[in-house]
């Protein structure tokens, strides 16, 4: 069998997904034995022009990280879709917007104003903002258009597989690469490199009865390292989050923030968590319920930490 | 009830007006009440107009 | 005037493009470095609880 042609690209991402691929460590040599890298801005020097020159379907597998934030992201997503047989939405940003998706809580113009006018390190009395076309003496320069809202990869192109995580863990990355190399591909649309159980199912903390009289912020409480965090009053999103990360946050005494997204069949992770969280509120009167609920800080920003663009509302009004 | 309260809090942060969401308990025997509440609520939402994202400020600093 | 475009610049975190303009003798006349990416952490961290910010801003750069 000829070697796989592999591409990896980032749109609005942090590069953590690319590093997750490198985190397979010495197995990268094994990867090089089964695959040729044909595009990977983090690691090798291929240009967009090289990708454009490839025949359609030339790339066997493209791992696409990052959300679609601007017209360049959308353009490259379409280009890579055309050139790739299999396109994987790799990581929370590509699947549901991820951390960059928090921008959908804000308006486009307010973001630009904060960055180019108000930021402490900026002096911009002429109020210069990036423009898509700019005439300089020597010719015309172009910049992509900054979209009104962050989109998910599947909003702009057809996606074959989804690999969740912020970032996906190296063990999962390696497992998925092996599956790809073996050619035994799962059915289209599948979530790979994860399980379909919830975080709670795989969590080893002691669980008794989930009844919460008071929600805490981490600095207000000494966390018991053995007991369920939610039962201790921390807003752990384990009940509505897909397992697969190896319980990374909870084993460090941090509540899960839901980066692996919801399990199959759940459309809106945040809405599901509203339901789950409300059901543990242990109140005898409506007033008490109000008090307990009011202790939850930034509920929308927490429940939609990694997935606002992929949620039902997609963005704040 | 608790779900509703928490959901309202989240929707507020997402910029969905309070008047767009309403919870009422109506039994199957209360036809007139049902009709009244529905008419009232429909009118209320009609007054608000279509749910347009990106028109109003997105919950500003609180978002 | 000849134009050389380096797009994208590689082996670093983020997005960048370099436009180089050469004069008739082939010497560099001018050169522009462009960053076609913005995510807006400055803005969307506003409203998030302080204790959550370390986990959010660690996604500025994961390299
Ligand atoms: S809520 Fe969090 S801490 Fe509790 S069992 Fe689930 S994952 Fe573990
Ligand atoms: S515990 Fe939750 S937030 Fe943390 S890595 Fe796992 S899925 Fe992501």
């Amino acid at each position: 069998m000829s070697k796989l042609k592999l591409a990896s690209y980032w749109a609005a991402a942090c590069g953590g997904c690319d590093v997750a691929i490198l985190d397979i460590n010495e197995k990268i040599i094994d990867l090089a034995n089964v695959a040729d890298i044909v595009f990977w801005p983090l690691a090798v020097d291929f240009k967009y022009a090289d990708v454009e020159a490839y025949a359609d379907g030339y790339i066997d597998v493209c791992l696409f990280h990052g959300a679609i934030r601007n017209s360049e992201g959308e353009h490259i997503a379409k280009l890579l879709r055309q050139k790739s047989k299999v396109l994987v939405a790799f990581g929370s940003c590509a699947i549901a917007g991820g951390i960059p998706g928090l921008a959908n809580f804000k308006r486009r113009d307010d973001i630009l104003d904060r960055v180019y006018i108000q930021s402490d390190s900026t002096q911009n009395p002429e109020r210069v903002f990036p423009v898509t076309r700019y005439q300089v003496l020597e010719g015309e320069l172009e910049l992509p258009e900054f979209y009104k809202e962050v989109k998910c990869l599947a909003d702009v192109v057809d996606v074959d597989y989804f690999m969740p995580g912020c970032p996906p863990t190296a063990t999962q990355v390696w497992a998925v690469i092996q599956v790809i190399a073996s050619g035994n591909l799962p059915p289209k649309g599948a979530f790979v490199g994860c399980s379909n159980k919830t975080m709670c199912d795989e969590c080893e903390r002691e669980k008794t009865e989930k009844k919460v009289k008071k929600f805490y912020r981490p600095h207000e409480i000494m966390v018991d390292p053995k007991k369920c965090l939610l039962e201790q009053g921390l807003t752990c999103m384990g009940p509505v989050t897909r397992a697969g990360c190896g319980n990374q946050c909870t084993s460090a005494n941090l509540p899960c923030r839901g980066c692996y997204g919801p399990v199959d069949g759940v459309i809106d992770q945040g809405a599901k968590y509203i339901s789950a969280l409300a059901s543990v509120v242990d109140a005898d009167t409506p007033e008490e319920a109000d008090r307990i609920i009011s202790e939850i800080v930034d509920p929308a920003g927490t429940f939609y930490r990694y997935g606002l663009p992929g949620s039902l509302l997609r963005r704040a009004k | 009830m608790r779900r509703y309260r928490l959901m309202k809090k989240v929707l507020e942060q997402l910029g969905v007006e309070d008047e767009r969401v309403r919870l009422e308990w109506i039994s199957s025997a209360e036809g007139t009440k049902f009709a009244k509440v529905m008419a009232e609520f429909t009118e209320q939402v009609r007054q608000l107009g279509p749910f347009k994202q990106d028109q109003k400020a997105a919950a500003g600093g609180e978002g | 005037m000849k134009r050389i475009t380096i797009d994208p610049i590689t082996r670093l975190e983020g997005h960048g493009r370099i436009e180089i303009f050469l004069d008739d003798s082939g010497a560099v006349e001018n050169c522009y470095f462009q960053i076609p990416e913005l995510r807006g952490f400055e803005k969307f961290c506003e409203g998030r609880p302080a204790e959550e910010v370390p986990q959010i801003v660690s996604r500025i750069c994961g390299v």
Side-chain angles (χ1 to χ4, degrees):
Chain A
M1 197 183 108
S2 66
K3 277 170 118 183
L4 277 177
K5 294 196 182 57
L6 191 70
S8 176
Y9 181 71
W10 47 26
C14 72
C17 281
D18 286 294
V19 173
I21 300 173
L22 294 174
D23 278 344
I24 61 175
N25 293 331
E26 69 286 350
K27 297 200 189 75
I28 200 89
I29 313 257
D30 301 334
L31 174 63
N33 286 333
V34 292
D36 281 330
I37 310 287
V38 293
F39 184 53
W40 189 3
L42 171 103
V44 289
D45 193 29
F46 288 101
K47 303 300 184 196
Y48 295 141
D50 298 315
V51 180
E52 277 156 16
Y54 294 154
D56 289 358
Y58 174 81
I59 302 168
D60 290 305
V61 180
C62 173
L63 308 175
F64 194 105
H65 336 293
I68 306 300
R69 172 72 271 190
N70 59 32
S71 53
E72 182 187 72
E74 177 163 355
H75 171 74
I76 303 294
K78 288 184 170 151
L79 176 68
L80 286 167
R81 171 69 278 185
Q82 190 189 339
K83 305 292 177 185
S84 309
K85 292 195 190 82
V86 173
L87 181 70
V88 184
F90 187 106
S92 311
C93 300
I95 295 177
I99 292 287
L102 284 173
N104 282 5
F105 277 107
K106 310 292 180 186
R107 285 173 59 224
R108 175 187 187 274
D109 293 348
D110 293 342
I111 296 172
L112 295 175
D113 192 71
R114 176 71 180 78
V115 173
Y116 295 109
I117 304 287
Q118 294 170 27
S119 62
D120 292 325
S121 53
T122 304
Q123 284 192 343
N124 186 4
E126 273 120 55
R127 303 183 65 85
V128 178
F129 287 101
V131 287
T132 49
R133 282 167 192 283
Y134 189 69
Q135 200 65 41
V136 291
L137 229 48
E138 301 82 11
E140 193 178 55
L141 300 178
E142 280 179 37
L143 277 178
E145 180 198 343
F146 188 71
Y147 285 161
K148 229 164 50 182
E149 61 180 21
V150 179
K151 299 180 198 179
C152 316
L153 181 61
D155 292 336
V156 298
V157 291
D158 185 40
V159 173
D160 297 303
Y161 301 111
F162 299 87
M163 177 151 188
C166 184
T169 63
T171 21
Q172 301 281 22
V173 173
W174 180 238
V176 168
I177 288 174
Q178 283 175 305
V179 170
I180 293 173
S182 75
N184 287 325
L185 295 178
K188 188 178 155 113
F191 277 73
V192 296
C194 55
S195 103
N196 198 26
K197 292 191 190 148
T198 66
M199 279 278 308
C200 292
D201 293 331
E202 294 196 351
C203 180
E204 278 164 13
R205 287 175 174 265
E206 255 167 58
K207 292 154 250 187
T208 48
E209 211 186 348
K210 292 203 173 27
K211 275 185 178 267
V212 176
K213 280 262 176 224
K214 179 169 172 47
F215 285 105
Y216 294 94
R217 296 172 72 172
H219 58 277
E220 298 170 329
I221 168 184
M222 279 303 286
V223 178
D224 183 327
K226 295 233 163 58
K227 288 206 186 113
C228 166
L229 296 166
L230 184 54
E231 287 171 21
Q232 296 182 62
L234 292 168
T235 50
C236 180
M237 288 187 61
V240 298
T241 301
R242 188 188 282 279
C245 70
N247 300 61
Q248 295 188 103
C249 300
T250 53
S251 48
N253 275 344
L254 282 173
C256 170
R257 284 292 166 253
C259 80
Y260 267 64
V263 291
D264 286 347
V266 174
I267 307 166
D268 192 300
Q269 187 183 19
K272 186 84 183 163
Y273 194 53
I274 292 175
S275 172
L277 197 59
S279 68
V280 305
V281 170
D282 182 20
D284 301 319
T285 62
E287 292 72 35
E288 194 187 8
D290 272 347
R291 184 201 38 86
I292 300 174
I293 288 168
S294 72
E295 287 157 1
I296 303 168
V297 284
D298 187 25
T302 305
F303 308 169
Y304 294 103
R305 176 63 49 81
Y306 291 93
L308 186 57
S311 73
L312 283 172
L313 277 179
R314 309 185 53 89
R315 59 161 301 132
K317 196 176 163 186
Chain B
M1 200 60 200
R2 287 164 298 179
R3 281 191 181 86
Y4 176 71
R5 278 160 204 263
L6 183 54
M7 184 180 78
K8 278 270 210 182
K9 224 182 135 176
V10 170
L11 288 179
E12 184 194 313
Q13 271 189 295
L14 287 167
V16 179
E17 300 94 334
D18 211 37
E19 303 84 46
R20 282 191 199 273
V21 190
R22 178 166 170 182
L23 179 68
E24 290 283 345
W25 306 106
I26 305 171
S27 98
S28 53
E30 296 174 306
T32 4
K33 187 176 173 198
F34 179 74
K36 186 168 162 277
V37 168
M38 287 316 278
E40 238 177 63
F41 190 53
T42 316
E43 189 44 39
Q44 188 173 319
V45 174
R46 192 168 284 140
Q47 301 254 312
L48 285 170
F51 180 71
K52 280 204 203 85
Q53 291 188 326
D54 207 36
Q55 257 205 348
K56 261 197 338 194
E62 305 123 55
Chain C
M1 187 168 294
K2 203 168 172 267
R3 178 174 182 163
I4 301 173
T5 303
I6 301 176
D7 192 21
I9 52 173
T10 57
R11 292 157 293 174
L12 42 63
E13 195 288 317
H15 298 234
R17 180 196 304 156
I18 300 171
E19 302 271 11
I20 306 166
F21 293 92
L22 306 178
D23 64 18
D24 295 337
S25 70
V28 173
E29 170 111 1
N30 212 338
C31 172
Y32 296 89
F33 174 53
Q34 292 175 285
I35 301 183
E37 196 202 17
L38 170 71
R39 285 164 299 167
F41 280 80
E42 298 90 329
K43 187 69 191 169
F44 64 66
C45 283
E46 291 175 0
R48 309 280 83 82
E51 66 271 21
E52 298 286 331
V53 173
Q55 283 185 57
I56 296 174
V57 296
S58 57
R59 271 72 179 204
I60 291 175
C61 176
V63 176

mmCIF file of all heavy atoms in Angstrom, chain A residues 192-219:
data_model
loop_
_atom_site.group_PDB
_atom_site.id
_atom_site.type_symbol
_atom_site.label_atom_id
_atom_site.label_comp_id
_atom_site.label_asym_id
_atom_site.label_seq_id
_atom_site.Cartn_x
_atom_site.Cartn_y
_atom_site.Cartn_z
ATOM 1 N N VAL A 192 -14.746 10.180 16.765
ATOM 2 C CA VAL A 192 -13.651 9.231 16.962
ATOM 3 C C VAL A 192 -12.734 9.714 18.082
ATOM 4 O O VAL A 192 -12.736 10.892 18.436
ATOM 5 C CB VAL A 192 -12.850 9.024 15.654
ATOM 6 C CG1 VAL A 192 -13.720 8.388 14.583
ATOM 7 C CG2 VAL A 192 -12.274 10.346 15.149
ATOM 8 N N GLY A 193 -11.966 8.790 18.634
ATOM 9 C CA GLY A 193 -11.011 9.154 19.681
ATOM 10 C C GLY A 193 -11.683 9.534 20.978
ATOM 11 O O GLY A 193 -11.202 10.389 21.715
ATOM 12 N N CYS A 194 -12.815 8.912 21.263
ATOM 13 C CA CYS A 194 -13.543 9.244 22.482
ATOM 14 C C CYS A 194 -14.535 8.123 22.737
ATOM 15 O O CYS A 194 -14.615 7.184 21.963
ATOM 16 C CB CYS A 194 -14.287 10.561 22.308
ATOM 17 S SG CYS A 194 -15.368 10.566 20.873
ATOM 18 N N SER A 195 -15.286 8.237 23.824
ATOM 19 C CA SER A 195 -16.266 7.192 24.078
ATOM 20 C C SER A 195 -17.648 7.828 24.002
ATOM 21 O O SER A 195 -17.769 9.041 23.861
ATOM 22 C CB SER A 195 -15.999 6.554 25.442
ATOM 23 O OG SER A 195 -16.921 7.017 26.395
ATOM 24 N N ASN A 196 -18.676 7.010 24.089
ATOM 25 C CA ASN A 196 -20.000 7.620 24.095
ATOM 26 C C ASN A 196 -20.620 7.570 25.484
ATOM 27 O O ASN A 196 -21.804 7.726 25.662
ATOM 28 C CB ASN A 196 -20.912 6.977 23.051
ATOM 29 C CG ASN A 196 -22.113 7.876 22.757
ATOM 30 O OD1 ASN A 196 -22.039 9.099 22.928
ATOM 31 N ND2 ASN A 196 -23.219 7.289 22.373
ATOM 32 N N LYS A 197 -19.756 7.349 26.470
ATOM 33 C CA LYS A 197 -20.228 7.467 27.842
ATOM 34 C C LYS A 197 -20.016 8.904 28.281
ATOM 35 O O LYS A 197 -19.404 9.700 27.575
ATOM 36 C CB LYS A 197 -19.410 6.541 28.728
ATOM 37 C CG LYS A 197 -19.657 5.078 28.470
ATOM 38 C CD LYS A 197 -18.989 4.337 29.591
ATOM 39 C CE LYS A 197 -18.934 2.867 29.347
ATOM 40 N NZ LYS A 197 -17.738 2.297 29.940
ATOM 41 N N THR A 198 -20.467 9.222 29.493
ATOM 42 C CA THR A 198 -20.189 10.560 29.993
ATOM 43 C C THR A 198 -18.948 10.510 30.880
ATOM 44 O O THR A 198 -18.516 9.453 31.325
ATOM 45 C CB THR A 198 -21.350 11.113 30.852
ATOM 46 O OG1 THR A 198 -21.457 10.325 32.028
ATOM 47 C CG2 THR A 198 -22.656 11.087 30.083
ATOM 48 N N MET A 199 -18.420 11.702 31.119
ATOM 49 C CA MET A 199 -17.283 11.844 32.026
ATOM 50 C C MET A 199 -17.584 11.185 33.368
ATOM 51 O O MET A 199 -16.728 10.529 33.956
ATOM 52 C CB MET A 199 -17.032 13.335 32.266
ATOM 53 C CG MET A 199 -16.258 14.016 31.187
ATOM 54 S SD MET A 199 -14.528 13.733 31.428
ATOM 55 C CE MET A 199 -14.356 14.240 33.115
ATOM 56 N N CYS A 200 -18.779 11.404 33.890
ATOM 57 C CA CYS A 200 -19.146 10.839 35.195
ATOM 58 C C CYS A 200 -19.030 9.321 35.186
ATOM 59 O O CYS A 200 -18.607 8.727 36.172
ATOM 60 C CB CYS A 200 -20.571 11.222 35.581
ATOM 61 S SG CYS A 200 -20.765 12.960 35.926
ATOM 62 N N ASP A 201 -19.418 8.696 34.056
ATOM 63 C CA ASP A 201 -19.337 7.237 33.980
ATOM 64 C C ASP A 201 -17.912 6.760 34.196
ATOM 65 O O ASP A 201 -17.683 5.666 34.709
ATOM 66 C CB ASP A 201 -19.810 6.735 32.603
ATOM 67 C CG ASP A 201 -21.300 6.980 32.401
ATOM 68 O OD1 ASP A 201 -22.030 7.002 33.402
ATOM 69 O OD2 ASP A 201 -21.713 7.152 31.236
ATOM 70 N N GLU A 202 -16.953 7.559 33.760
ATOM 71 C CA GLU A 202 -15.556 7.131 33.876
ATOM 72 C C GLU A 202 -14.825 7.756 35.061
ATOM 73 O O GLU A 202 -13.652 7.481 35.278
ATOM 74 C CB GLU A 202 -14.805 7.457 32.566
ATOM 75 C CG GLU A 202 -15.341 6.640 31.405
ATOM 76 C CD GLU A 202 -14.424 6.614 30.200
ATOM 77 O OE1 GLU A 202 -13.431 7.361 30.179
ATOM 78 O OE2 GLU A 202 -14.726 5.841 29.276
ATOM 79 N N CYS A 203 -15.527 8.611 35.788
ATOM 80 C CA CYS A 203 -14.887 9.337 36.888
ATOM 81 C C CYS A 203 -14.796 8.441 38.115
ATOM 82 O O CYS A 203 -15.747 7.759 38.478
ATOM 83 C CB CYS A 203 -15.705 10.581 37.206
ATOM 84 S SG CYS A 203 -15.036 11.560 38.550
ATOM 85 N N GLU A 204 -13.632 8.450 38.756
ATOM 86 C CA GLU A 204 -13.444 7.553 39.887
ATOM 87 C C GLU A 204 -13.782 8.185 41.223
ATOM 88 O O GLU A 204 -13.644 7.564 42.275
ATOM 89 C CB GLU A 204 -12.006 7.026 39.883
ATOM 90 C CG GLU A 204 -11.884 5.865 38.917
ATOM 91 C CD GLU A 204 -10.464 5.529 38.557
ATOM 92 O OE1 GLU A 204 -9.542 6.026 39.228
ATOM 93 O OE2 GLU A 204 -10.296 4.767 37.585
ATOM 94 N N ARG A 205 -14.221 9.421 41.186
ATOM 95 C CA ARG A 205 -14.552 10.060 42.461
ATOM 96 C C ARG A 205 -15.773 9.385 43.095
ATOM 97 O O ARG A 205 -16.638 8.872 42.390
ATOM 98 C CB ARG A 205 -14.844 11.543 42.228
ATOM 99 C CG ARG A 205 -13.583 12.314 41.940
ATOM 100 C CD ARG A 205 -13.862 13.757 41.597
ATOM 101 N NE ARG A 205 -12.600 14.455 41.475
ATOM 102 C CZ ARG A 205 -12.029 15.143 42.473
ATOM 103 N NH1 ARG A 205 -12.625 15.253 43.637
ATOM 104 N NH2 ARG A 205 -10.863 15.716 42.298
ATOM 105 N N GLU A 206 -15.811 9.454 44.416
ATOM 106 C CA GLU A 206 -16.934 8.854 45.148
ATOM 107 C C GLU A 206 -18.213 9.629 44.882
ATOM 108 O O GLU A 206 -18.257 10.838 45.080
ATOM 109 C CB GLU A 206 -16.661 9.010 46.645
ATOM 110 C CG GLU A 206 -16.224 7.783 47.364
ATOM 111 C CD GLU A 206 -15.713 8.201 48.726
ATOM 112 O OE1 GLU A 206 -16.493 8.829 49.476
ATOM 113 O OE2 GLU A 206 -14.522 7.937 48.995
ATOM 114 N N LYS A 207 -19.224 8.900 44.456
ATOM 115 C CA LYS A 207 -20.494 9.564 44.189
ATOM 116 C C LYS A 207 -21.535 9.060 45.171
ATOM 117 O O LYS A 207 -21.697 7.855 45.322
ATOM 118 C CB LYS A 207 -20.948 9.281 42.756
ATOM 119 C CG LYS A 207 -20.047 9.946 41.717
ATOM 120 C CD LYS A 207 -20.059 9.235 40.390
ATOM 121 C CE LYS A 207 -18.720 8.563 40.179
ATOM 122 N NZ LYS A 207 -18.526 7.975 38.870
ATOM 123 N N THR A 208 -22.204 9.947 45.834
ATOM 124 C CA THR A 208 -23.320 9.524 46.688
ATOM 125 C C THR A 208 -24.593 10.139 46.145
ATOM 126 O O THR A 208 -24.974 9.879 45.013
ATOM 127 C CB THR A 208 -23.091 9.916 48.166
ATOM 128 O OG1 THR A 208 -22.689 11.278 48.222
ATOM 129 C CG2 THR A 208 -22.027 9.039 48.791
ATOM 130 N N GLU A 209 -25.174 11.034 46.899
ATOM 131 C CA GLU A 209 -26.402 11.644 46.407
ATOM 132 C C GLU A 209 -26.075 13.045 45.930
ATOM 133 O O GLU A 209 -25.437 13.808 46.643
ATOM 134 C CB GLU A 209 -27.429 11.691 47.533
ATOM 135 C CG GLU A 209 -28.831 11.577 47.017
ATOM 136 C CD GLU A 209 -29.827 11.770 48.139
ATOM 137 O OE1 GLU A 209 -29.427 11.756 49.320
ATOM 138 O OE2 GLU A 209 -31.002 11.947 47.829
ATOM 139 N N LYS A 210 -26.513 13.380 44.725
ATOM 140 C CA LYS A 210 -26.221 14.718 44.232
ATOM 141 C C LYS A 210 -27.291 15.688 44.716
ATOM 142 O O LYS A 210 -28.367 15.774 44.156
ATOM 143 C CB LYS A 210 -26.126 14.715 42.710
ATOM 144 C CG LYS A 210 -24.908 13.950 42.197
ATOM 145 C CD LYS A 210 -24.493 14.385 40.815
ATOM 146 C CE LYS A 210 -23.184 13.782 40.337
ATOM 147 N NZ LYS A 210 -22.758 12.504 40.861
ATOM 148 N N LYS A 211 -26.953 16.382 45.813
ATOM 149 C CA LYS A 211 -27.861 17.389 46.356
ATOM 150 C C LYS A 211 -27.010 18.568 46.758
ATOM 151 O O LYS A 211 -26.144 18.443 47.620
ATOM 152 C CB LYS A 211 -28.587 16.851 47.585
ATOM 153 C CG LYS A 211 -29.838 16.051 47.255
ATOM 154 C CD LYS A 211 -30.545 15.674 48.532
ATOM 155 C CE LYS A 211 -31.823 14.928 48.220
ATOM 156 N NZ LYS A 211 -33.006 15.556 48.117
ATOM 157 N N VAL A 212 -27.234 19.714 46.140
ATOM 158 C CA VAL A 212 -26.364 20.849 46.397
ATOM 159 C C VAL A 212 -27.141 21.987 47.049
ATOM 160 O O VAL A 212 -28.151 22.439 46.538
ATOM 161 C CB VAL A 212 -25.711 21.326 45.082
ATOM 162 C CG1 VAL A 212 -24.886 22.581 45.331
ATOM 163 C CG2 VAL A 212 -24.829 20.235 44.504
ATOM 164 N N LYS A 213 -26.650 22.390 48.214
ATOM 165 C CA LYS A 213 -27.271 23.498 48.950
ATOM 166 C C LYS A 213 -26.576 24.815 48.654
ATOM 167 O O LYS A 213 -27.114 25.882 48.892
ATOM 168 C CB LYS A 213 -27.181 23.234 50.459
ATOM 169 C CG LYS A 213 -28.239 22.279 50.975
ATOM 170 C CD LYS A 213 -29.401 23.074 51.585
ATOM 171 C CE LYS A 213 -30.539 22.164 52.034
ATOM 172 N NZ LYS A 213 -31.853 22.690 51.634
ATOM 173 N N LYS A 214 -25.343 24.701 48.179
ATOM 174 C CA LYS A 214 -24.595 25.924 47.905
ATOM 175 C C LYS A 214 -23.557 25.666 46.826
ATOM 176 O O LYS A 214 -22.860 24.655 46.865
ATOM 177 C CB LYS A 214 -23.906 26.405 49.192
ATOM 178 C CG LYS A 214 -23.080 27.668 49.020
ATOM 179 C CD LYS A 214 -22.648 28.232 50.362
ATOM 180 C CE LYS A 214 -21.650 29.376 50.189
ATOM 181 N NZ LYS A 214 -22.019 30.390 49.189
ATOM 182 N N PHE A 215 -23.487 26.557 45.861
ATOM 183 C CA PHE A 215 -22.428 26.454 44.855
ATOM 184 C C PHE A 215 -21.247 27.309 45.276
ATOM 185 O O PHE A 215 -21.420 28.403 45.812
ATOM 186 C CB PHE A 215 -22.934 26.906 43.480
ATOM 187 C CG PHE A 215 -23.811 25.880 42.844
ATOM 188 C CD1 PHE A 215 -25.189 26.055 42.795
ATOM 189 C CD2 PHE A 215 -23.270 24.715 42.330
ATOM 190 C CE1 PHE A 215 -26.006 25.082 42.226
ATOM 191 C CE2 PHE A 215 -24.074 23.747 41.757
ATOM 192 C CZ PHE A 215 -25.448 23.936 41.705
ATOM 193 N N TYR A 216 -20.080 26.775 45.033
ATOM 194 C CA TYR A 216 -18.859 27.467 45.437
ATOM 195 C C TYR A 216 -18.020 27.830 44.225
ATOM 196 O O TYR A 216 -18.084 27.170 43.191
ATOM 197 C CB TYR A 216 -18.003 26.561 46.328
ATOM 198 C CG TYR A 216 -18.631 26.246 47.659
ATOM 199 C CD1 TYR A 216 -19.379 25.085 47.824
ATOM 200 C CD2 TYR A 216 -18.469 27.108 48.735
ATOM 201 C CE1 TYR A 216 -19.951 24.790 49.049
ATOM 202 C CE2 TYR A 216 -19.038 26.814 49.965
ATOM 203 C CZ TYR A 216 -19.783 25.657 50.114
ATOM 204 O OH TYR A 216 -20.349 25.362 51.319
ATOM 205 N N ARG A 217 -17.200 28.849 44.403
ATOM 206 C CA ARG A 217 -16.116 29.089 43.450
ATOM 207 C C ARG A 217 -14.876 28.433 44.056
ATOM 208 O O ARG A 217 -14.796 28.281 45.280
ATOM 209 C CB ARG A 217 -15.937 30.591 43.239
ATOM 210 C CG ARG A 217 -17.195 31.185 42.601
ATOM 211 C CD ARG A 217 -17.152 32.679 42.559
ATOM 212 N NE ARG A 217 -16.188 33.169 41.562
ATOM 213 C CZ ARG A 217 -16.089 34.449 41.236
ATOM 214 N NH1 ARG A 217 -16.863 35.345 41.820
ATOM 215 N NH2 ARG A 217 -15.201 34.834 40.341
ATOM 216 N N PRO A 218 -13.934 28.027 43.215
ATOM 217 C CA PRO A 218 -12.828 27.191 43.718
ATOM 218 C C PRO A 218 -12.103 27.772 44.933
ATOM 219 O O PRO A 218 -11.694 27.029 45.816
ATOM 220 C CB PRO A 218 -11.875 27.100 42.525
ATOM 221 C CG PRO A 218 -12.723 27.380 41.338
ATOM 222 C CD PRO A 218 -13.844 28.263 41.779
ATOM 223 N N HIS A 219 -11.982 29.093 44.996
ATOM 224 C CA HIS A 219 -11.211 29.668 46.104
ATOM 225 C C HIS A 219 -12.018 29.715 47.408
ATOM 226 O O HIS A 219 -11.484 30.054 48.448
ATOM 227 C CB HIS A 219 -10.741 31.076 45.744
ATOM 228 C CG HIS A 219 -11.859 32.016 45.410
ATOM 229 N ND1 HIS A 219 -12.425 32.069 44.163
ATOM 230 C CD2 HIS A 219 -12.538 32.906 46.167
ATOM 231 C CE1 HIS A 219 -13.386 32.969 44.167
ATOM 232 N NE2 HIS A 219 -13.486 33.478 45.362
#
